[in-house]
Amino acid sequence: MVVFLVLLSSMVSAQTRREVLKAKVDSTLHVRYNKVDSALLVRYNKVNYDTLFIGRPQARLTLKLRANIAGTSIHARGEVRGAYTKADLRTDVKATMSIGVNYRGITAGLAINPSRLRGKNNDYEFNLNAYSNRYSIDASYQMSKTMAGKIVRDGVRQKIERGLIDTKIVNITGYYTFNYRRFSYPAAFSQSYIQKRSAGSWLVGFAYQGGRLKTIDENKPEDIPDARFYVGHFGIGGGYGYNLVLGTKWLLHASTLPTLVLLNGNNQTINDERKDMETNFPDIILNERVAIVRNFSTKYFMGLTVVMSNSIFNSNHVDINQNKWFTRAFFGVRL
């Protein structure tokens, strides 16, 4: 009996120590959470804008369910190796579902590609969108083996099947908003701010569009040469954006940022023969954005955004147009 009581006392003592330790850990985590939350709250409520035009949602947490559709196309017209050539190529349209979480202005998301899960589409795309009232950036990186279409050379049509071309494309756009105290990009694209009254702003920024296309040896027919095309363009420019507020429920956004290409590093390699591709002035990269946001109440909202990047180049008597677009429909709730 004495031994049993001693063992029981030891078990109770150990359990008590575990409870004390757990209480200390919980207390420490609670204190640290409160410190982080307080710091985020101070940052979130910092006012460097005109409160008659811009405001912050009062909710701590915002959840969004998003449906995304994206695609890329390339079109070329002109004389290539002594023959008039037309090329129209595009990747498969990629659809994903994603969940977005915004806590005190800090956003994270998770995307799922149903076609990829079924093994029907192995394309990969990464998008980064960071919006503040003053500075904003859009970036995307795409890896695709689904680019297909047709090439017509001196009237002879050749079909380009999926799996023949390996594509990697990068698009980066950054811009500065002059009227950031009254005009809010985040109100239209991340909903971390609220546009109370209509306002517009002049914009200045840069755009980079680059990447490479090359044939895949194991899938290439014998009559098609080994080919690799690289493009890299950097431009700067200015534009304008406007947020139109209709009543207390609707926000309509439209903006454009045309940039003039100042630097390029284009080249092509055909059957191991490499040549630089000179471009003729002016070359232009256009960036356009459209958004519609409908607020049902201070808690529920939904909307649609479209981000596009279009390039217009002329290289050695060949006109090249590259288009990248990304569309997102969303439904959100603020808690």
Side-chain angles (χ1 to χ4, degrees):
M1 178 65 71
V2 174
V3 174
F4 175 76
L5 291 175
V6 171
L7 291 175
L8 181 61
S9 176
S10 299
M11 293 173 61
V12 172
S13 177
Q15 183 176 0
T16 301
R17 286 196 298 270
R18 286 196 298 269
E19 291 176 350
V20 171
L21 179 60
K22 182 178 181 300
K24 289 182 178 179
V25 172
D26 290 344
S27 177
T28 301
L29 292 176
H30 182 71
V31 170
R32 290 182 178 178
Y33 168 78
N34 286 335
K35 287 183 178 180
V36 172
D37 187 61
S38 297
L40 291 176
L41 181 61
V42 171
R43 173 182 174 272
Y44 187 78
N45 289 329
K46 182 179 179 180
V47 177
N48 58 354
Y49 49 83
D50 189 335
T51 56
L52 292 177
F53 285 80
I54 301 175
R56 278 285 206 181
Q58 295 303 308
R60 175 183 301 185
L61 181 68
T62 300
L63 302 176
K64 287 193 289 186
L65 179 63
R66 306 178 296 198
N68 315 299
I69 303 176
T72 299
S73 63
I74 297 176
H75 309 277
R77 302 285 188 275
E79 185 176 326
V80 179
R81 293 189 171 186
Y84 182 77
T85 303
K86 295 169 56 179
D88 295 288
L89 304 171
R90 66 185 68 247
T91 62
D92 284 357
V93 173
K94 185 172 68 67
T96 61
M97 297 295 295
S98 63
I99 298 174
V101 180
N102 185 299
Y103 183 82
R104 303 287 198 202
I106 304 298
T107 302
L110 175 66
I112 298 175
N113 186 342
S115 298
R116 188 178 181 90
L117 294 177
R118 296 195 301 267
K120 294 184 177 181
N121 189 325
N122 291 321
D123 288 0
Y124 171 83
E125 182 167 338
F126 171 78
N127 287 278
L128 172 65
N129 312 104
Y131 300 111
S132 72
N133 288 331
R134 187 182 298 194
Y135 303 101
S136 299
I137 188 167
D138 288 312
S140 68
Y141 176 69
Q142 181 184 38
M143 294 171 34
S144 171
K145 293 185 180 180
T146 64
M147 182 163 282
K150 65 179 181 179
I151 296 178
V152 180
R153 184 175 171 85
D154 275 349
V156 179
R157 184 179 184 274
Q158 185 172 36
K159 187 176 181 180
I160 304 299
E161 301 286 354
R162 297 168 77 252
L164 175 61
I165 300 176
D166 183 14
T167 306
K168 294 182 179 179
I169 297 176
V170 177
N171 287 277
I172 303 174
T173 305
Y175 35 95
Y176 176 85
T177 303
F178 286 99
N179 191 22
Y180 63 90
R181 298 185 184 278
R182 295 186 173 184
F183 170 83
S184 175
Y185 250 111
F189 289 93
S190 67
Q191 293 76 54
S192 57
Y193 285 84
I194 296 175
Q195 187 80 44
K196 298 179 180 180
R197 296 184 179 182
S198 300
S201 177
W202 292 104
L203 312 169
V204 65
F206 72 90
Y208 173 79
Q209 192 174 79
R212 66 115 174 97
L213 284 74
K214 73 173 184 178
T215 54
I216 302 174
D217 292 340
E218 58 267 27
N219 299 334
K220 182 175 64 64
E222 293 183 358
D223 59 337
I224 294 181
D226 293 330
R228 178 187 180 276
F229 297 91
Y230 171 81
V231 295
H233 301 91
F234 177 83
I236 60 174
Y240 190 79
Y242 193 80
N243 282 345
L244 175 64
V245 178
L246 300 176
T248 59
K249 303 295 185 181
W250 290 93
L251 170 62
L252 307 180
H253 169 93
S255 63
T256 181
L257 180 69
T259 62
L260 187 65
V261 174
L262 302 180
L263 301 172
N264 80 77
N266 304 342
N267 62 75
Q268 64 178 13
T269 303
I270 307 294
N271 290 333
D272 297 326
E273 182 181 348
R274 184 182 185 277
K275 290 184 178 179
D276 291 333
M277 298 168 57
E278 297 293 336
T279 58
N280 299 324
F281 184 86
D283 292 328
I284 298 173
I285 301 175
L286 299 173
N287 298 279
E288 307 95 1
R289 286 157 184 78
V290 177
I292 302 174
V293 181
R294 172 69 160 88
N295 292 290
F296 297 101
S297 65
T298 57
K299 187 175 182 179
Y300 299 104
F301 61 92
M302 67 181 298
L304 177 74
T305 63
V306 180
V307 178
M308 296 176 289
S309 178
N310 307 304
S311 58
I312 303 172
F313 308 124
N314 181 274
S315 176
N316 298 331
H317 309 293
V318 179
D319 294 323
I320 302 173
N321 176 230
Q322 179 177 321
N323 306 300
K324 176 74 177 71
W325 56 272
F326 181 86
T327 301
R328 168 174 287 165
F330 58 86
F331 176 81
V333 56
R334 297 184 175 103
L335 304 173

